[in-house]
Amino acid sequence: DSGVTQTPKHLITATGQRVTLRCSPRSGDLSVYWYQQSLDQGLQFLIHYYNGEERAKGNILERFSAQQFPDLHSELNLSSLELGDSALYFCASSVTGTRGNEQFFGPGTRLTVL
Amino acid sequence: GNSVTQMEGPVTLSEEAFLTINCTYTATGYPSLFWYVQYPGEGLQLLLKATKADDKGSNKGFEATYRKETTSFHLEKGSVQVSDSAVYFCALIDYSNYQLIWGAGTKLIIKP
């Protein structure tokens, strides 16, 4: 158990809908990262938050957004869903973004868009 | 830009065989390097890491050495077990934004 929790574990929804994925980092970790794992694109970085502020964006679509709250939990919002958004979404956390600081991953949320 | 290339799978071995999964990288600067493992139906677990050239990361019988001259970080294990069957990902960290850059993953199948 990494100490990172994600809810829900599975999510099934229809095209055009909007969903929210939730992540709670390990106690004491200030950084939260979101990654998408899909069969065709592999693992891709989406976005990084540090202590409530956005630090970096990766291959995140405009239909997707995220935020980190004062209690450091984070939410990833996916809207106008398409079939191609079906994937495993991982959240990871680390103490800070310092050298060698490994990221600890949650169990993921599997999103299926029908 | 930064990238990671790892050998394609699946790799199928018999129990107690020697394992090598190749990983090479392209990066500016001096990234830290990682191996993560994903067991069936589970999330990503850090297996080992190395933060500078010539560092050797090790865990659970797995080892990898950070080779700057060959830009490689190959994963090795002397005697694999059926329980090692999983997908293994090589990754580096981009310190400009702290994102992990991933290899495509190598599926390892160990037969009894």
Side-chain angles (χ1 to χ4, degrees):
Chain A
D1 184 356
S2 68
V4 179
T5 60
Q6 288 187 249
T7 57
K9 191 165 186 175
H10 300 280
L11 201 46
I12 301 174
T13 188
T15 55
Q17 295 298 305
R18 173 188 169 96
V19 297
T20 297
L21 282 52
R22 183 187 169 103
C23 168
S24 292
R26 294 186 318 156
S27 176
D29 284 1
L30 299 178
S31 274
V32 169
Y33 311 79
W34 286 97
Y35 293 87
Q36 179 195 59
Q37 185 180 32
S38 62
L39 284 174
D40 54 344
Q41 306 242 28
L43 273 158
Q44 290 197 97
F45 166 73
L46 295 179
I47 199 162
H48 168 207
Y49 275 84
Y50 175 77
N51 203 21
E53 293 187 6
E54 181 186 302
R55 277 299 175 90
K57 272 187 175 180
N59 298 320
I60 188 166
L61 300 171
E62 285 192 14
R63 300 183 284 108
F64 296 1
S65 65
Q67 56 185 135
Q68 186 179 26
F69 294 86
D71 67 353
L72 301 178
H73 90 272
S74 177
E75 292 180 356
L76 180 67
N77 300 296
L78 315 176
S79 61
S80 303
L81 286 167
E82 301 175 0
L83 296 177
D85 298 327
S86 295
L88 198 49
Y89 291 85
F90 287 109
C91 164
S93 74
S94 67
V95 175
T96 66
T98 58
R99 186 167 195 83
N101 226 219
E102 59 261 38
Q103 296 176 20
F104 293 87
F105 283 77
T109 293
R110 183 169 295 281
L111 173 66
T112 303
V113 182
L114 300 175
Chain B
N2 297 325
S3 66
V4 175
T5 303
Q6 61 182 106
M7 65 190 289
E8 290 187 20
V11 172
T12 303
L13 296 171
S14 297
E15 210 166 16
E16 299 183 2
F18 184 87
L19 168 72
T20 300
I21 300 179
N22 290 337
C23 170
T24 57
Y25 67 91
T26 302
T28 52
Y30 304 95
S32 293
L33 303 172
F34 304 86
W35 277 100
Y36 279 84
V37 58
Q38 186 175 30
Y39 296 102
E42 297 187 14
L44 293 154
Q45 299 176 29
L46 177 68
L47 182 59
L48 53 84
K49 71 175 185 181
T51 59
K52 61 183 187 298
D54 300 324
D55 263 4
K56 179 186 280 188
S58 60
N59 186 26
K60 299 181 181 179
F62 291 90
E63 292 183 340
T65 302
Y66 190 145
R67 301 280 188 207
K68 190 169 181 297
E69 64 276 13
T70 54
T71 60
S72 65
F73 192 54
H74 305 321
L75 183 68
E76 296 181 335
K77 186 174 184 182
S79 176
V80 293
Q81 307 298 314
V82 172
S83 58
D84 294 327
S85 297
V87 180
Y88 292 80
F89 292 92
C90 184
L92 66 82
I93 194 159
D94 180 339
Y95 281 110
S96 68
N97 59 15
Y98 295 102
Q99 68 162 296
L100 284 165
I101 308 291
W102 300 90
T106 302
K107 184 172 185 178
L108 176 65
I109 301 168
I110 307 299
K111 296 190 171 179

